[in-house]
Amino acid sequence: NAGVTQTPKFRILKIGQSMTLQCTQDMNHNYMYWYRQDPGMGLKLIYYSVGAGITDKGEVPNGYNVSRSTTEDFPLRLELAAPSQTSVYFCASSYSQGPNTEAFFGQGTRLTVV
Amino acid sequence: KNEVEQSPQNLTAQEGEFITINCSYSVGISALHWLQQHPGGGIVSLFMLSSGKKKHGRLIATINIQEKHSSLHITASHPRDSAVYICAALPTFMDSNYQLIWGAGTKLIIKP
């Protein structure tokens, strides 16, 4: 199993450009998440999904969109990149939710908006 | 004030030393997670605990629910333990929707 795969690993965007961060998992997990990690801060949840066709906003959804057309894929879309979106982005998945659920993370995407 | 606080923010130690990283939280929780983030960026889960103590190799995690505090210990530390260690709390309040509250992480450097 590859686990959770994120692409790309690095990207530089100009202000106003758009891009899609790809995330795919091969563990048949229902739950998928997008986080951003800023220096000195804990991970912040952007969006999450509890299954194909179902998505919901997390703590910091503004400026982002997601879709979940299949169980495996959960892409994150930035429509009009802004310098405030410079961050490291992590995709994660889990089989279920609750106290004893382990989450599996991708390797992260380092995005710089200039 | 963050609901999950870690200390110290940075820790440098010599190989072989006993390491303690602390995590305090201000909300009621049903579980606490410890994760490791390597310099390459990947995050892996180390422990999930809701009471007592868990041990895996040289890593030990403890939690005191009454004091709202958890610790991660590393015995006989090694340079390969150098990483950022993150705690994340799963709140019990109903509208949490099982979303974790994350600490900012402790950057650990073990010198040979």
Side-chain angles (χ1 to χ4, degrees):
Chain A
N1 288 348
V4 179
T5 303
Q6 276 183 249
T7 56
K9 285 197 169 183
F10 304 93
R11 184 73 186 267
I12 298 174
L13 276 183
K14 292 186 178 178
I15 294 171
Q17 286 186 320
S18 62
M19 77 164 293
T20 299
L21 281 68
Q22 300 292 344
C23 176
T24 188
Q25 51 91 9
D26 61 359
M27 296 172 283
N28 201 33
H29 286 170
N30 286 324
Y31 298 85
M32 296 188 75
Y33 314 84
W34 273 106
Y35 292 96
R36 59 177 288 171
Q37 184 182 40
D38 299 309
M41 309 277 287
L43 272 71
K44 299 290 186 187
L45 183 65
I46 305 171
Y47 270 96
Y48 67 99
S49 169
V50 301
I54 306 169
T55 62
D56 209 345
K57 295 178 180 179
E59 188 180 352
V60 289
N62 292 344
Y64 307 95
N65 276 300
V66 293
S67 60
R68 185 92 182 271
S69 56
T70 66
T71 299
E72 294 78 20
D73 300 307
F74 190 41
L76 177 72
R77 178 89 178 155
L78 283 72
E79 288 294 350
L80 289 169
S84 61
Q85 293 177 305
T86 293
S87 189
V88 180
Y89 292 84
F90 286 96
C91 178
S93 74
S94 62
Y95 179 73
S96 65
Q97 288 183 311
N100 294 312
T101 300
E102 181 178 1
F104 295 82
F105 286 80
Q107 288 296 304
T109 297
R110 186 173 294 274
L111 175 67
T112 303
V113 181
V114 296
Chain B
K1 188 182 187 304
N2 290 337
E3 292 169 305
V4 175
E5 297 272 3
Q6 285 187 240
S7 63
Q9 280 188 303
N10 296 283
L11 178 58
T12 300
Q14 290 296 131
E15 183 174 356
E17 286 188 37
F18 181 82
I19 304 298
T20 296
I21 298 170
N22 298 299
C23 177
S24 298
Y25 49 92
S26 57
V27 296
I29 68 167
S30 57
L32 189 124
H33 296 243
W34 281 101
L35 306 99
Q36 180 189 57
Q37 183 175 20
H38 271 287
I43 298 173
V44 295
S45 179
L46 296 174
F47 295 103
M48 292 170 284
L49 64 166
S50 52
S51 65
K53 177 179 172 178
K54 285 191 175 181
K55 185 175 189 291
H56 182 68
R58 294 180 294 105
L59 299 176
I60 303 165
T62 64
I63 190 166
N64 185 317
I65 297 293
Q66 287 75 26
E67 294 186 4
K68 295 187 175 177
H69 181 268
S70 176
S71 293
L72 177 69
H73 305 286
I74 305 174
T75 62
S77 60
H78 190 277
R80 65 174 174 267
D81 297 325
S82 298
V84 175
Y85 292 85
I86 303 170
C87 71
L90 184 65
T92 54
F93 52 86
M94 288 181 63
D95 63 353
S96 74
N97 206 17
Y98 289 119
Q99 299 309 326
L100 294 165
I101 304 174
W102 296 79
T106 294
K107 185 175 183 179
L108 174 66
I109 298 173
I110 303 296
K111 294 186 173 180

